[in-house]
Every structure is written in C-alpha cells, then in structure tokens.
Amino acid sequence: MECQNTIKSLKINIKKNIGSVLIIVEGQFEFDLLKHIFVNILHYKYIEKSRNQKIFKSYDKFVMKGNENSSIIVINSKNSNLSSIKKDKDYLNELFKYLYVEYGIDIKNIHVYFIWDRDNKSNPVGVTKELLSKFGNSLENKNEEMNGLLLLSYPCIESYIISNFDNKTLFLKEKNLKNYIKDKNYKIQDIDKNKLLKATAMMNKALINLGINEYNLDDFSITSLKIFEKQEYIYNNKNYYNLLSLISIILLDLNIITIRNTN
C-alpha cells in the first residue's frame, strides 16, 4: 500500500463488517481510547477486561444496525513489559479460553493486534526486534502458534492523540507529551471520524519522513523493523523519537479506512 498522507485520499467505511477482533494492550489509557473509537464513533460491539477487572464487561447499547456481528475485544497483557506477549502465555490462554466458552470466539480465526509503547527502558532492543519480526500479520504468522500484529507508538500512545489534532511529526524529548496534550486541551472525546482520517494521514506522513513510502499489510513485520531501525538511529543521535503511532494500521488492515477511489 502506498502511503496516502492527505485526508482527501482516504475514506472511512462506517458500516464495515469486521467480525471479531482482539486487541491486546499494555496499559489502562488504551481502553478509554479504543472504546471511544470503536463504540462512540464506529458503533461496534465492545468487550473489555483490564488486569484490574475480575470479569469481562460488554458494551452493546450503541451498536449500529448492520454492525451486530462485529465485536472488538480489548484485554490487558499480564504486565506492561513487551516480553509478556511471549512469557505469559498461560495468562493469555486462560483469557482466550474464556472468550471461546462465553462468546464462541476462537482467537485463531480472528484478527489480533498488540498495541505497545516504544519504551526503551522496559523493552530491550533484542526483545522488541524479535517480537516485531514474529508478529507481522493479524491473521497468520509463519512458524508462530499465535496470530497477531504488533504495532508500536513512538515514543508512546500519546503520539496518536496528537496526530488527531495537529501536524507535528517531530517532538523534542524534553517536552512531555502528556503535558503538551493537556496544554492544548486535546481530548479523546473530541476525536471524530474526520480526525481518525487525519491521524491516518499523519501516520503516513511520519512514515514518509522516515523514508518509508509504502507498506505491505500482509507482512507488516518488514516495515515494522525498518521503522524501528530508523527511529533507534534518530534516538541514539538526537535523544528523541519522531512522533509516530501505528494504531491507524488497525483501521486500514480491517478496511474500516480505505483509499478513496478518485476515478
């Protein structure tokens, strides 16, 4: 796919049937963001379980007609370290078993995504590269027992919030992204369909700035590793990462956001 870095070149398919989709996240902030996107904007069924909850919670009050057979499931990993994806398989398998028994959802047959921050203090280079190379397809990974696409945000998920509202792709490390968002009064609840398109265009713009003009969603691991190497080079030389969140890849991979036909 060629990087489309203008809103005019993208469109949103509000009634796209996506089936069941599992998103595994490291923190708590992601729940508020993903619930807003998939419930308030896109109107899908939504199921969640954080590591602090004893049971799964379901939200289906605002499901749009035509979206009844589509569900987004969001769960926490056992801890916030990226290595928990491979080390805490028993923890995840228990959650997967529950989803199968209670909801009839077999994670081997659905799209799976991992959303993580590029936290270089908690996630060593070797572990991060290994998992980026292994988890490059949301439906099937060669030589892996689990499907899943690992998507990083540089330096953190706040990059995605910023990409919905302004045009920054560079951000010096000494600036605190949380404080920047607070000062600018950027709020999750103010994100709408057009801002989802803007965030996607800004992601593509950031990729182009890194020298990446296209990517293959069937094997995104190649692009993930290119991004990682380029971002680490920038960090090692300038002590900051270019602002980039890959959350929009989920919407592109599910064909919720597509390239507009200009013919």
Side-chain angles (χ1 to χ4, degrees):
M1 175 183 289
E2 185 179 353
C3 294
Q4 303 290 323
N5 64 340
T6 65
I7 296 177
K8 291 181 180 180
S9 64
L10 301 167
K11 67 176 181 178
I12 194 162
N13 303 308
I14 201 69
K15 289 187 177 182
K16 177 66 179 176
N17 186 348
I18 58 173
S20 296
V21 176
L22 174 64
I23 305 177
I24 301 172
V25 301
E26 60 168 308
Q28 299 300 308
F29 178 80
E30 291 90 337
F31 286 93
D32 291 336
L33 174 62
L34 294 171
K35 189 187 301 180
H36 178 71
I37 291 173
F38 288 105
V39 176
N40 297 337
I41 301 176
L42 299 174
H43 305 293
Y44 289 118
K45 288 183 179 180
Y46 182 89
I47 302 166
E48 70 172 25
K49 185 189 179 303
S50 74
R51 64 176 67 95
N52 298 322
Q53 294 173 340
K54 292 183 178 180
I55 61 173
F56 282 78
K57 293 183 179 180
S58 300
Y59 302 84
D60 57 8
K61 183 177 179 180
F62 302 109
V63 176
M64 182 181 290
K65 185 177 180 180
N67 286 350
E68 296 92 346
N69 295 321
S70 297
S71 300
I72 299 291
I73 306 106
V74 182
I75 64 174
N76 264 145
S77 55
K78 189 173 183 179
N79 61 63
S80 61
N81 291 337
L82 188 54
S83 60
S84 67
I85 293 175
K86 65 175 184 176
K87 286 185 176 180
D88 299 316
K89 290 183 179 180
D90 289 344
Y91 168 84
L92 290 175
N93 285 335
E94 283 300 310
L95 297 179
F96 299 160
K97 181 178 178 181
Y98 183 90
L99 288 171
Y100 183 75
V101 172
E102 294 296 321
Y103 298 99
I105 296 171
D106 183 355
I107 65 105
K108 292 181 180 179
N109 298 315
I110 67 173
H111 291 274
V112 177
Y113 302 94
F114 304 91
I115 296 178
W116 240 263
D117 292 348
R118 172 59 187 127
D119 183 348
N120 57 15
K121 294 180 180 178
S122 300
N123 302 313
V125 168
V127 172
T128 306
K129 289 179 68 174
E130 177 191 354
L131 294 174
L132 286 173
S133 65
K134 285 184 175 181
F135 294 102
N137 186 290
S138 62
L139 285 173
E140 182 180 11
N141 288 304
K142 296 178 181 178
N143 303 318
E144 283 298 313
E145 61 185 43
M146 183 178 177
N147 45 314
L149 174 55
L150 173 58
L151 300 168
L152 297 184
S153 293
Y154 297 84
C156 54
I157 196 170
E158 281 76 15
S159 296
Y160 182 76
I161 304 299
I162 294 171
S163 69
N164 278 268
F165 294 96
D166 67 30
N167 297 317
K168 287 185 180 296
T169 57
L170 299 177
F171 211 103
L172 298 182
K173 185 179 179 182
E174 62 262 22
K175 298 217 181 251
N176 184 291
L177 269 64
K178 289 183 174 66
N179 289 340
Y180 178 82
I181 289 170
K182 183 178 180 180
D183 291 343
K184 290 287 188 177
N185 201 29
Y186 293 157
K187 298 177 181 177
I188 289 176
Q189 58 264 35
D190 291 333
I191 297 174
D192 57 19
K193 289 183 289 184
N194 287 330
K195 286 186 172 57
L196 293 182
L197 293 174
K198 177 178 174 60
T200 304
M202 286 302 300
M203 178 192 73
N204 286 333
K205 180 180 177 182
L207 291 176
I208 291 171
N209 288 345
L210 290 172
I212 298 170
N213 296 306
E214 59 184 11
Y215 44 83
N216 181 4
L217 293 174
D218 291 330
D219 185 4
F220 196 73
S221 62
I222 297 171
T223 300
S224 289
L225 289 169
K226 285 182 181 178
I227 294 168
F228 182 81
E229 295 292 353
K230 289 175 181 291
Q231 288 279 43
E232 291 303 299
Y233 179 84
I234 292 170
Y235 183 85
N236 290 333
N237 285 274
K238 299 183 179 180
N239 207 33
Y240 65 83
Y241 291 110
N242 284 11
L243 279 189
L244 171 62
S245 172
L246 296 174
I247 289 177
S248 294
I249 290 293
I250 296 176
L251 303 179
L252 290 165
D253 193 40
L254 296 173
N255 289 311
I256 294 171
I257 291 179
T258 55
I259 297 173
R260 187 181 300 276
N261 187 351
T262 57
N263 293 332

